[in-house]
Amino acid sequence: MSRAIEDTKKMIDEVLEVYPEKTKKVRAKHIAPNDPSGQCASCQVKSNVKSRPGVMTVRGCAFAGAKGVVWGPVKDQITISHGPIGCGQYSWWARRNYYNGQTGIDTFGTMHITTDFQEKDIVYGGDKHLDAALVELKELFPLAKGIGILSECPVGLIGDDIEAVAKKKVKEFGMPIVPVRCEGFRGVSQSLGHHIANDTIRDHILGKGKLETSTPYDVALIGDYNIGGDAWASRKMLEEMGLRVIAQWTGDASVNEMGIAHKSKLNLIHCYRSMNYICRHMEETYGTPWLEFNFFGPTKIYESIRKIAAQFDDTIKVKAEAMIEKYKPKMDAVIEKYRPRLEGRTVMLYVGGLRPRHTIGAYEDLGMEVVASGYEFGHNDDYKRTYEVMKEGALIIDDATEYELEEFTHRMKPDLVGAGIKEKYTYHKMGVPFRQMHSWDYSGPYHGFDGFGVFARDMDATVNSPTWDLIRRKK
Amino acid sequence: MIKLKIKDHSELFQEPEYQAQFERKKEFECCPTSEEVQTISDWTKTEEYQEKNFARQHIKINPVKACQPLGALYCALGFEDTLPFCQGAQGCVAYFRSHLNRHFKEPVQAVSSSMTEDAAVFGGLNNMTEGMENAYALYKPKMMAIFTSCIAEVIGDDLNAYTKGAKEKGVIPSELLTPYANTPSFVGSHITGYDNMLRSILKSLTAGKKSEPNGKVNVIAGFDPYTGNYREIKRMLDMMDVKHTVLSDVSDSFDAPNTGQAKIYRGLTRIEDTMDSANAMATVSLQKYSTLKTMDFINKEWNQKTVVKIPVGVRNTDALLEELSKITGKRVPQELEDERGRVVDAMVDSHTYVHGKRFALAGDPDLLLGMVSILMEMGGEPVHIICTNGDKNFHEDMETLLASSPYGASGKVYINKDLWHLRSLMFTDPVDLLISNSYAKFLWRDTGTPLIRYGFPLFDRHHLHRYPIIGYQGALNIVTSIVNTVLEELDRATINTTSFDVIR
């Protein structure tokens, strides 16, 4: 074991000391020093298992994964938060999945639509109520292309048959009605919600869309939720290199696009965690290959563009190289401006999906080092992809608690922390520069050539803000 | 060397190459034609659509309410060293915390027992026991305020038995305070949850504590998302020299000074004072509908005088101060009288811009009762009043209030309705100004009616919660924001005309 690994191990043990015995044992399996070589057996973290009760986990639930992440952004479908009032209220337009359309007329992304369960629905069941709700929605929103029924906890507990209600209405309405069993108590985190949502895309939408013509350059952009316009920035690049993006999942997606992705020649997946399931399905069923890529920061962008172009003929390769040539001066200018201001600064990340590993290259382009990273709801395959891109002895943390994040921050003293809204203001109070890395702190895009400049500008604004120096620190 | 111009989403996507991209994307969207969209858009603004919209019984569209446990959590955070503990699934607490984070821009600490599928089958006993053990070990609270979310309510977990069991087992100390409240999300709203949690804390902490009168007045703010209000009521009581206990004082919990330290507990209501609250001479609540059960409990169990006064507006503030004076025998000091004089002076100066203006409002019942009062004091006319979480009693209260002033004549109150209903009303019967939370900005976009942000949640403007809306200072803040919104709009409307005045 190297010195770096040993030091980190010692720090982890100290932080875990406060826990009751059983919880300490469990948490110890989720936090480890990084070992890119793979030789340290105890350095592999355990993941995708239940959070311990009472520890203040950062995690959310399956509903958040299915409604908030995967289905919510589909713009011309009405997404019902089916159950009591809260879940839909708290996830109302919180993820900034940008879309074009006239809200309330042909698109519905920024609306909170709920069956608002009352006690009688719990006692007598909510199916009749749901049936009637679907009729009312159909009448008030004639241009909707589908309706998703996203179940909240009570629906699954009282034994409602939302599938039967949906099936009946599909025939009546002649459009997809998608029952999604994403009750919050299912699974251990948002992750199962993604999987459940993927399965419902497979069962109710995929293969049913219209695509008039096909070209050899058709691709689908998968696992980009268009937060702050990310998918648009990525699409711009794919189009410029000569590809035809036939579907965008699910940021700014239409129901039709959800139905035609299998017809692409290559599925390009950004957020592996939330949409690998459906990519595997399309590969197995339709033979559509898929490829992971990373559009954060120029190093990874160039690498990804070349990797994507390599799947196509020379016309694409030539255009891809020309595009890199065109944008490189701008990327260099961004680095020239911001790198001197950020060089050598350390970063702690605790996020979800793809970001704990995908943003590392972008920080490195700016001369920053990610010294700790972790996933709210990652699986083993996410961590495997992470070990190799981080330094030996870096901290890897799965399903962190708020206590642990604070403690590791005190010990590691990162210059910047990137996590979510629940962490943000604790760090502000601690006087530690912080960026929300779920919502881009209401900025963005961060993807692609157009995103990198915004990313660099934002990191600089926060790391070097004069406001931190105003804090009169109590000892 | 190229000139670096970084554009973020607010400018970037307006550029021609992105606009062209959006056009190209339509090929795959199978979207309706712009004529079809226009036809439907026009139709949604008609009386016919309004009728269909108001006929709906089974779906809420953009409602203005949250769920019970959020209110319970909020209430708990006002007490000293108190950790809110939610018996339920973990996603609920993640949602409550982030919702409050976004409104206050402050940290929010609370734990969940992370109930999952097995707990749904076997009950949540193990989750609660282990949850309490872990939470106590990590966060060392004096009080764990326990409440529930859907899963625990549907399966019927016995909070009392589980808590007792945890103490008997020794996983938490027996002296740890563990009040609990059942807060099902399918009953009432966040204001109900606030009420249930507060009653439970008071009931539990004051049991057996009734003794000599302590000469204090208890003040309950209700589900009040303005930290400035807590500071304002305390300031007024100090000025009157009235000894007081604010029951659930969240002013520091949601507006703490930055000292480079993250303190987990910032609730200002001391446990000791809470225990002694049964001995106060009276309890004054500043909201009616978020404290119904609590006030009933205080009145019946403590035999204490209870008073409800919503001090939004001049006359409402007068009424509160008179009542306090009556209870305590203390006079309203000249300084407060001077403050009154100043706000009245401001209202007189600004009245021409507010008189006869028509308002639509949406929000919690108590906020609406307060806002309607102050609008009518200025000669403003409340027209559409939407209250998703209002009941029949509220309906009656509001109608009585409207009837008390000639400016209330065109006011109509709608309970159990939402912002999509309001959209119809605002098209068929337009108003000049809209008062509601941040989500009403979509109505501003659709109807062009300027939005003055009041209520909960306020996500898209900063620091509004720090400015009180109660008392004379609060009235001044409200008057200022309303009149300046009117003037801002007047500038916008007259920008290319000779009416673009510098002196208004």
Side-chain angles (χ1 to χ4, degrees):
Chain A
M1 222 185 267
S2 78
R3 181 69 194 268
I5 290 181
E6 270 176 31
D7 286 351
T8 306
K9 185 88 192 66
K10 194 165 155 265
M11 174 182 72
I12 295 169
D13 291 343
E14 281 170 19
V15 168
L16 293 181
E17 207 40 56
V18 64
Y19 281 108
E21 216 40 53
K22 183 181 160 196
T23 307
K24 191 198 294 181
K25 230 168 120 182
V26 173
R27 289 301 305 149
K29 293 177 186 160
H30 293 262
I31 315 173
N34 188 43
D35 170 38
S37 74
Q39 283 165 358
C40 157
S42 65
C43 294
Q44 312 274 316
V45 296
K46 197 170 173 179
S47 58
N48 195 33
V49 294
K50 276 196 268 187
S51 307
R52 298 327 306 162
V55 294
M56 215 181 296
T57 172
V58 180
R59 279 177 171 176
C61 64
F63 178 86
K67 191 260 185 180
V69 176
V70 179
W71 271 117
V74 178
K75 62 180 177 178
D76 54 0
Q77 160 179 287
I78 292 171
T79 299
I80 304 178
S81 299
H82 183 44
I85 189 72
C87 317
Q89 180 76 27
Y90 310 130
S91 54
W92 185 359
W93 193 220
R95 274 177 58 85
R96 305 179 61 235
N97 315 105
Y98 284 4
Y99 64 92
N100 287 308
Q102 200 175 328
T103 300
I105 310 301
D106 64 345
T107 48
F108 310 92
T110 60
M111 296 171 77
H112 165 30
I113 296 175
T114 175
T115 40
D116 187 18
F117 265 28
Q118 300 298 305
E119 199 148 25
K120 64 177 191 311
D121 300 307
I122 304 294
V123 177
Y124 300 111
D127 285 342
K128 279 187 186 158
H129 179 46
L130 173 64
D131 190 295
L134 294 172
V135 174
E136 290 175 356
L137 286 172
K138 175 76 181 154
E139 187 160 316
L140 289 172
F141 304 106
L143 296 181
K145 292 294 178 63
I147 301 178
I149 303 160
L150 284 284
S151 305
E152 300 168 9
C153 285
V155 174
L157 297 168
I158 62 176
D160 274 5
D161 190 355
I162 60 169
E163 287 79 6
V165 177
K167 201 170 170 189
K168 198 174 89 185
K169 283 289 173 286
V170 170
K171 283 186 196 147
E172 271 178 56
F173 294 176
M175 66 180 186
I177 313 282
V178 186
V180 189
R181 285 288 183 175
C182 55
E183 289 89 345
F185 61 80
R186 293 192 198 279
V188 302
S189 67
Q190 291 92 314
S191 185
L192 187 63
H194 306 142
H195 199 153
I196 292 167
N198 276 224
D199 289 351
T200 53
I201 294 169
R202 178 196 65 201
D203 295 344
H204 298 274
I205 308 282
L206 192 67
K208 294 179 182 163
K210 274 188 227 147
L211 181 68
E212 301 292 340
T213 57
S214 280
T215 78
Y217 306 122
D218 290 356
V219 295
L221 179 53
I222 310 280
D224 190 328
Y225 301 103
N226 206 30
I227 291 164
D230 278 342
W232 292 333
S234 298
R235 185 186 189 102
K236 179 181 157 188
M237 292 163 54
L238 297 172
E239 288 185 348
E240 196 167 334
M241 65 193 277
L243 300 172
R244 181 173 175 253
V245 182
I246 62 163
Q248 206 172 288
W249 282 21
T250 59
D252 194 34
S254 56
V255 170
N256 191 61
E257 288 166 80
M258 300 303 291
I260 58 176
H262 62 293
K263 291 188 177 174
S264 83
K265 299 296 180 291
L266 179 66
N267 281 333
L268 294 169
I269 180 165
H270 210 231
C271 181
Y272 168 85
R273 179 72 278 128
S274 59
M275 292 210 110
N276 76 86
Y277 319 100
I278 193 79
C279 287
R280 289 175 204 279
H281 168 75
M282 285 190 269
E283 184 176 45
E284 283 161 18
T285 310
Y286 304 98
T288 320
W290 54 286
L291 186 73
E292 288 178 66
F293 70 105
N294 179 351
F295 271 0
F296 286 103
T299 304
K300 290 293 168 190
I301 292 175
Y302 303 151
E303 204 180 292
S304 293
I305 288 171
R306 290 184 172 123
K307 194 164 83 171
I308 294 165
Q311 316 298 314
F312 294 91
D313 61 22
D314 284 351
T315 55
I316 302 295
K317 286 179 196 136
V318 168
K319 280 186 188 166
E321 286 306 324
M323 178 170 71
I324 291 173
E325 203 62 29
K326 176 178 155 190
Y327 287 97
K328 195 169 179 301
K330 190 183 169 191
M331 295 301 97
D332 291 346
V334 170
I335 290 171
E336 195 176 334
K337 176 169 181 186
Y338 291 106
R339 187 163 177 138
R341 300 172 59 78
L342 295 166
E343 185 86 51
R345 305 297 184 100
T346 58
V347 185
M348 177 187 272
L349 293 176
Y350 183 69
V351 219
L354 70 162
R355 290 146 180 181
R357 63 175 177 276
H358 265 39
T359 58
I360 291 174
Y363 284 112
E364 287 175 351
D365 285 334
L366 296 169
M368 303 173 83
E369 187 195 343
V370 178
V371 294
S373 193
Y375 296 80
E376 269 183 46
F377 48 81
H379 296 207
N380 203 16
D381 45 8
D382 292 302
Y383 286 101
K384 275 194 179 146
R385 288 162 167 78
T386 311
Y387 300 140
E388 61 196 36
V389 294
M390 293 188 70
K391 267 195 187 161
E392 187 172 271
L395 180 75
I396 308 280
I397 182 162
D398 176 69
D399 184 20
T401 69
E402 300 288 4
Y403 161 80
E404 290 161 3
L405 289 176
E406 274 183 54
E407 282 302 311
F408 285 123
T409 304
H410 287 314
R411 287 170 165 79
M412 301 181 78
K413 301 194 173 23
D415 297 303
L416 176 68
V417 173
I421 185 75
K422 299 193 292 298
E423 293 71 64
K424 180 179 173 76
Y425 300 105
T426 302
Y427 281 97
H428 283 191
K429 289 281 189 275
M430 287 161 72
V432 177
F434 182 95
R435 293 292 309 190
Q436 280 189 73
M437 293 301 282
H438 297 260
S439 67
W440 304 150
D441 249 322
Y442 322 117
S443 178
Y446 281 179
H447 291 176
F449 291 127
D450 285 340
F452 180 62
V454 183
F455 174 82
R457 178 198 74 179
D458 289 354
M459 296 310 138
D460 171 51
T462 292
V463 169
N464 294 310
S465 165
T467 54
W468 305 113
D469 297 332
L470 296 171
I471 299 170
R472 195 171 279 165
R473 288 169 198 270
K474 268 195 189 154
K475 289 292 164 204
Chain B
M1 185 61 200
I2 66 162
K3 194 164 176 256
L4 194 59
K5 168 93 177 92
I6 293 168
K7 291 183 180 174
D8 66 22
H9 60 91
S10 57
E11 290 178 274
L12 184 64
F13 301 121
Q14 305 312 311
E15 291 189 347
E17 51 187 331
Y18 276 104
Q19 291 296 314
Q21 181 197 108
F22 300 154
E23 278 307 309
R24 280 196 302 278
K25 184 172 179 293
K26 284 183 181 166
E27 180 192 344
F28 309 103
E29 292 182 345
C30 275
C31 48
T33 64
S34 47
E35 291 76 26
E36 281 174 295
V37 173
Q38 193 56 50
T39 306
I40 298 299
S41 174
D42 292 344
W43 174 60
T44 64
K45 299 169 187 172
T46 61
E47 299 269 1
E48 182 201 335
Y49 188 87
Q50 177 171 316
E51 205 170 300
K52 282 183 194 296
N53 194 8
F54 273 76
R56 76 182 138 93
Q57 297 287 322
H58 296 277
I59 198 84
K60 289 272 184 348
I61 304 168
N62 300 349
V64 190
K65 65 171 178 177
C67 67
Q68 275 216 58
L70 176 118
L73 188 155
Y74 186 67
C75 173
L77 282 172
F79 291 90
E80 173 190 359
D81 292 349
T82 297
L83 184 67
F85 183 105
C86 181
Q87 173 75 345
Q90 70 199 13
C92 315
V93 170
Y95 275 151
F96 308 146
R97 293 175 66 207
S98 53
H99 203 66
L100 294 167
N101 291 142
R102 290 178 177 128
H103 176 83
F104 293 103
K105 322 289 182 208
E106 289 286 311
V108 176
Q109 275 90 2
V111 300
S112 133
S113 63
S114 295
M115 288 170 74
T116 51
E117 210 144 6
D118 52 346
V121 178
F122 302 112
L125 172 62
N126 291 341
N127 291 71
M128 187 147 178
T129 313
E130 193 189 331
M132 293 182 105
E133 182 181 15
N134 285 332
Y136 187 78
L138 281 181
Y139 303 111
K140 297 275 182 310
K142 280 188 190 154
M143 171 153 76
M144 269 190 215
I146 302 158
F147 54 97
T148 51
S149 61
C150 289
I151 182 169
E153 283 299 323
V154 174
I155 66 173
D157 274 349
D158 186 342
L159 301 180
N160 188 30
Y162 293 0
T163 312
K164 257 192 194 158
K167 287 184 177 175
E168 277 161 17
K169 240 178 132 181
V171 299
I172 49 168
S174 54
E175 66 274 15
L176 180 69
L177 299 166
T178 50
Y180 66 91
N182 290 96
T183 49
S185 301
F186 42 84
V187 176
S189 70
H190 55 292
I191 63 174
T192 326
Y194 182 96
D195 196 10
N196 282 331
M197 189 77 250
L198 185 58
R199 184 183 57 167
S200 156
I201 290 173
L202 295 182
K203 190 173 168 186
S204 157
L205 268 61
T206 61
K209 302 284 178 186
K210 186 89 182 163
S211 61
E212 293 304 301
N214 63 16
K216 289 185 181 177
V217 172
N218 298 323
V219 178
I220 296 175
F223 186 93
D224 184 343
Y226 287 85
T227 52
N229 283 354
Y230 297 80
R231 301 214 164 97
E232 184 59 17
I233 187 70
K234 288 189 285 185
R235 190 184 69 91
M236 291 195 291
L237 291 166
D238 285 343
M239 285 167 90
M240 284 183 73
D241 194 28
V242 172
K243 284 191 193 148
H244 56 268
T245 304
V246 177
L247 292 169
S248 189
D249 184 350
V250 297
S251 49
D252 269 19
S253 319
F254 291 97
D255 187 9
N258 195 320
T259 59
Q261 277 181 343
K263 264 179 72 184
I264 175 162
Y265 301 119
R266 302 176 302 277
L268 290 182
T269 306
R270 301 196 317 160
I271 300 282
E272 195 185 324
D273 293 342
T274 310
M275 289 174 168
D276 193 32
S277 61
N279 302 311
M281 58 174 96
T283 296
V284 178
S285 175
L286 310 183
Q287 288 190 356
K288 180 174 176 184
Y289 288 95
S290 64
T291 64
L292 289 168
K293 288 181 196 161
T294 303
M295 294 300 270
D296 186 57
F297 163 80
I298 290 172
N299 191 269
K300 288 198 177 121
E301 302 295 320
W302 298 350
N303 287 317
Q304 213 175 76
K305 183 179 167 66
T306 52
V307 177
V308 178
K309 294 284 171 198
I310 304 169
V312 176
V314 173
R315 287 202 181 87
N316 280 345
T317 303
D318 295 346
L320 172 71
L321 297 182
E322 274 162 31
E323 190 63 47
L324 284 167
S325 211
K326 216 190 295 172
I327 294 166
T328 61
K330 303 271 168 108
R331 285 187 46 240
V332 177
Q334 188 58 40
E335 291 95 316
L336 274 174
E337 190 56 34
D338 289 348
E339 282 183 16
R340 185 188 192 282
R342 283 188 203 104
V343 66
V344 169
D345 190 51
M347 288 164 87
V348 169
D349 295 344
S350 302
H351 77 273
T352 53
Y353 292 103
V354 185
H355 194 102
K357 286 278 184 297
R358 289 156 51 84
F359 289 81
L361 304 96
D364 283 343
D366 296 297
L367 177 88
L368 291 172
L369 288 167
M371 294 307 289
V372 165
S373 299
I374 188 168
L375 289 180
M376 296 194 305
E377 282 181 334
M378 285 191 285
E381 295 175 16
V383 178
H384 312 304
I385 303 158
I386 295 277
C387 190
T388 310
N389 54 351
D391 60 10
K392 280 181 189 156
N393 292 333
F394 162 75
H395 194 276
E396 214 171 281
D397 278 356
M398 183 55 88
E399 286 199 323
T400 309
L401 175 63
L402 290 167
S404 71
S405 159
Y407 301 98
S410 42
K412 193 162 175 206
V413 50
Y414 304 87
I415 55 167
N416 206 22
K417 296 288 183 272
D418 52 47
L419 295 179
W420 197 252
H421 291 112
L422 183 54
R423 184 179 184 273
S424 279
L425 293 171
M426 288 172 70
F427 277 122
T428 58
D429 186 11
V431 293
D432 300 303
L433 294 149
L434 168 63
I435 292 180
S436 190
N437 67 24
S438 289
Y439 284 105
K441 77 191 292 178
F442 297 113
L443 291 175
W444 171 67
R445 181 172 69 183
D446 283 2
T447 68
T449 313
L451 169 65
I452 309 173
R453 286 165 174 78
Y454 280 104
F456 178 80
L458 301 174
F459 288 162
D460 65 335
R461 292 293 183 272
H462 285 204
H463 313 308
L464 294 179
H465 65 274
R466 300 179 205 260
Y467 295 87
I469 65 167
I470 63 165
Y472 301 124
Q473 289 303 320
L476 184 60
N477 288 334
I478 294 171
V479 171
T480 307
S481 75
I482 291 176
V483 72
N484 285 334
T485 304
V486 172
L487 294 175
E488 192 73 40
E489 284 305 307
L490 194 53
D491 280 347
R492 227 185 292 278
T494 59
I495 192 160
N496 290 318
T497 74
T498 53
S499 307
F500 194 60
D501 281 323
V502 153
I503 307 162
R504 304 254 198 223

